[in-house]
Amino acid sequence: MLRRSHPSGGNRLVAEDGSLVVTTVLPRESESVPLARRLVRHTLADWRLPHLADAAELVVSELSANAVEHTRHASFRVTLQRRPDSGVRVAVIDKSTAEPILRPWDDEAEGGRGLALVAALACRWGTDPLGWGKRVWADLEPDQRQEKQPVSTVPLYASRRAQLVYVLIVAVLGALLGAAIVCGAP
């Protein structure tokens, strides 16, 4: 692999298959998560893939936060690889052999939604055991939202609670608007 420095702190590499790779090692601390997002944002702008930046930043945030919270080694690695299909693979490598767990969605839980978000954003994701640790990766493609899930199949509300809140807001706004009309307010 050929190495060069990247402006946002990562190393530029060319993989054996000719694909572009940017990677960096970050300390296992919460301040590294925004650094990982910045690396992703700058790299995707460099690669002229800004349309993938929002999803890739969210994916790297979740995977980096998991590495910070669950691994006990002093650092972790963030890697972006440009795919031949104009997509990108976002990966976080750490020295914990514990597999990540995709938990069932729980409206009442305060955490544990990270991998569900990754699964929702990525066309594919997975974990590669490395003997001394693991690589958790997600593939993002330019048009995956249209291919993966048509807009008509996306539920309007994520939970019954959200439905009730929406109905309550509409009812209150309707009542306020009705009162304004009765009182002659514009």
Side-chain angles (χ1 to χ4, degrees), residues 19-185:
S19 62
L20 299 175
V21 177
V22 171
T23 186
T24 193
V25 175
L26 297 170
R28 187 185 63 86
E29 53 192 41
S30 58
E31 292 82 10
S32 293
V33 176
L35 296 176
R37 282 194 302 266
R38 189 178 91 194
L39 175 74
V40 166
R41 185 175 47 252
H42 287 277
T43 300
L44 294 179
D46 246 10
W47 290 347
R48 295 186 178 23
L49 298 172
H51 51 285
L52 295 176
D54 290 339
E57 285 185 58
L58 184 53
V59 166
V60 82
S61 291
E62 294 301 332
L63 298 182
S64 297
N66 283 350
V68 167
E69 183 176 345
H70 298 294
T71 188
R72 295 296 163 237
H73 193 265
S75 62
F76 63 96
R77 177 177 292 279
V78 174
T79 301
L80 285 99
Q81 182 175 10
R82 187 164 185 173
R83 315 273 303 167
D85 59 2
S86 297
V88 67
R89 174 168 282 187
V90 178
V92 170
I93 303 162
D94 64 51
K95 291 193 176 182
S96 169
T97 56
E99 295 276 326
I101 299 169
L102 178 60
R103 295 189 176 127
W105 196 266
D106 179 2
D107 290 336
E108 304 300 319
E110 292 182 19
R113 292 188 172 102
L115 285 179
L117 290 171
V118 170
L121 290 168
C123 57
R124 286 174 303 283
W125 76 278
T127 303
D128 299 329
L130 301 173
W132 46 263
K134 67 182 172 300
R135 175 187 302 112
V136 184
W137 54 268
D139 289 343
L140 303 170
E141 294 176 355
D143 297 325
Q144 68 191 35
R145 281 180 283 164
Q146 292 82 5
E147 294 170 12
K148 186 174 180 181
Q149 190 174 48
V151 175
S152 62
T153 64
V154 176
L156 185 57
Y157 308 102
S159 68
R160 184 161 174 76
R161 177 182 286 169
Q163 290 172 345
L164 293 173
V165 169
Y166 177 77
V167 169
L168 181 62
I169 290 170
V170 169
V172 169
L173 289 176
L176 290 174
L177 182 60
I181 292 171
V182 169
C183 295

